[in-house]
């Protein structure tokens, strides 16, 4: 799968990801394909975990939203954006929204981290949105990333170093994550 990590520290937020794609037991390492698991939409960087099919779909679907529908500046705005996105995923991209028969809502089938000047957000399959104060990680390497970022948090490292450290820990111990690590840093806006 992957390791994607975000961190917010001082006046910066950062997002980082590994570069490995896997197909069952087959690894498509960096150098065989341009594997960017983090992409830019407007003023936000977005990283995903899940099936490889999600990456072009989410890039195209988010990029196709009108400016008034693509707002990612708060927890509520992220929720509204992904709520508007869900019907498009089903109608245009043929998303299968079923996971289990007893699910309370249709699933969007992906996990997303968003980093922008307002903070860091996580979106899960039922469009649950979380706003993280310090750091978070998704993907198969997330537990290693979370442990590494937790251990490094109180030190002098900045947001980018912490996010990269989390992904490097995922690459070290998770069989489905590998470098190089790619990262992006954004300066936080002051909240009024």
């Amino acid at each position: 799968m992957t390791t994607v990590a975000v961190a917010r520290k001082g006046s910066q937020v950062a997002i980082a990801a590994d570069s490995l794609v896997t197909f069952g037991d087959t690894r498509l390492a960096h150098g065989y394909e341009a594997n960017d698991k983090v992409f830019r939409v407007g003023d936000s960087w977005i990283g995903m975990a899940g099936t490889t099919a999600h990456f072009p779909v989410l890039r195209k679907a988010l990029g196709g939203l009108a400016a008034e529908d693509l707002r990612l500046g708060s927890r509520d705005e992220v929720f509204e954006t992904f709520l508007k996105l869900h019907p498009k995923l089903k109608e245009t991209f043929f998303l299968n929204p079923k996971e289990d028969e007893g699910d309370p809502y249709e699933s969007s089938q992906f996990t997303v981290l968003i980093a922008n000047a307002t903070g860091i957000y996580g979106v899960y399959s039922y469009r649950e949105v979380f706003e993280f104060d310090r750091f978070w990680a998704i993907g198969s390497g997330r537990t290693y990333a979370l442990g590494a970022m937790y251990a490094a948090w109180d030190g002098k490292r900045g947001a980018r170093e912490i996010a990269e450290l989390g992904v490097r820990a995922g690459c070290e111990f998770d069989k489905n994550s590998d470098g190089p690590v790619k990262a992006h840093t954004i300066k936080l806006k002051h909240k009024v």
Side-chain angles (χ1 to χ4, degrees):
M1 259 176 70
T2 195
T3 305
V4 181
V6 289
R8 174 183 179 157
K9 192 168 184 185
S11 63
Q12 295 187 326
V13 296
I15 187 167
D18 77 299
S19 300
L20 179 67
V21 171
T22 56
F23 302 94
D25 291 334
T26 303
R27 297 167 40 97
L28 184 59
H30 177 74
Y32 290 96
E33 186 200 27
N35 290 330
D36 287 326
K37 295 181 181 179
V38 176
F39 58 93
R40 191 173 187 124
V41 174
D43 295 331
S44 298
W45 287 97
I46 297 174
M48 278 187 11
T51 180
T52 306
H54 289 326
F55 290 87
V57 167
L58 193 60
R59 276 194 304 266
K60 185 80 168 168
L62 284 169
L65 288 177
E68 64 271 8
D69 292 333
L70 180 61
R71 297 178 50 205
L72 303 171
S74 71
R75 187 176 184 172
D76 287 340
E77 286 181 1
V78 171
F79 174 76
E80 288 294 329
T81 295
F82 278 81
L83 187 61
K84 290 174 184 171
L85 186 66
H86 186 72
K88 291 183 184 296
L89 294 172
K90 291 187 337 180
E91 294 164 13
T92 304
F93 300 98
F94 311 106
L95 171 76
N96 178 2
K98 287 256 188 223
E99 284 187 21
D100 294 319
E101 200 57 43
D103 287 345
Y105 299 97
E106 289 184 348
S107 173
S108 292
Q109 303 282 358
F110 50 69
T111 306
V112 174
L113 287 177
I114 301 167
N116 60 42
T118 65
I120 50 179
Y121 307 95
V123 183
Y124 288 81
S125 61
Y126 299 129
R127 290 154 306 284
E128 314 99 298
V129 178
F130 297 89
E131 183 173 4
F132 302 109
D133 293 329
R134 297 194 289 174
F135 57 83
W136 197 247
I138 60 173
S140 55
R142 74 186 165 278
T143 54
Y144 307 111
L146 289 169
M149 291 187 294
Y150 175 80
W153 183 257
D154 290 331
K156 294 181 181 182
R157 291 182 172 100
R160 184 182 184 111
E161 293 171 298
I162 291 170
E164 288 177 338
L165 179 67
V167 176
R168 284 197 314 271
C171 292
E172 183 71 23
F173 297 105
D174 174 48
K175 69 178 182 172
N176 294 312
S177 300
D178 199 8
V181 174
K182 297 179 183 179
H184 304 278
T185 307
I186 304 144
K187 185 174 172 75
L188 278 168
K189 288 182 185 175
H190 294 291
K191 291 189 177 181
V192 180

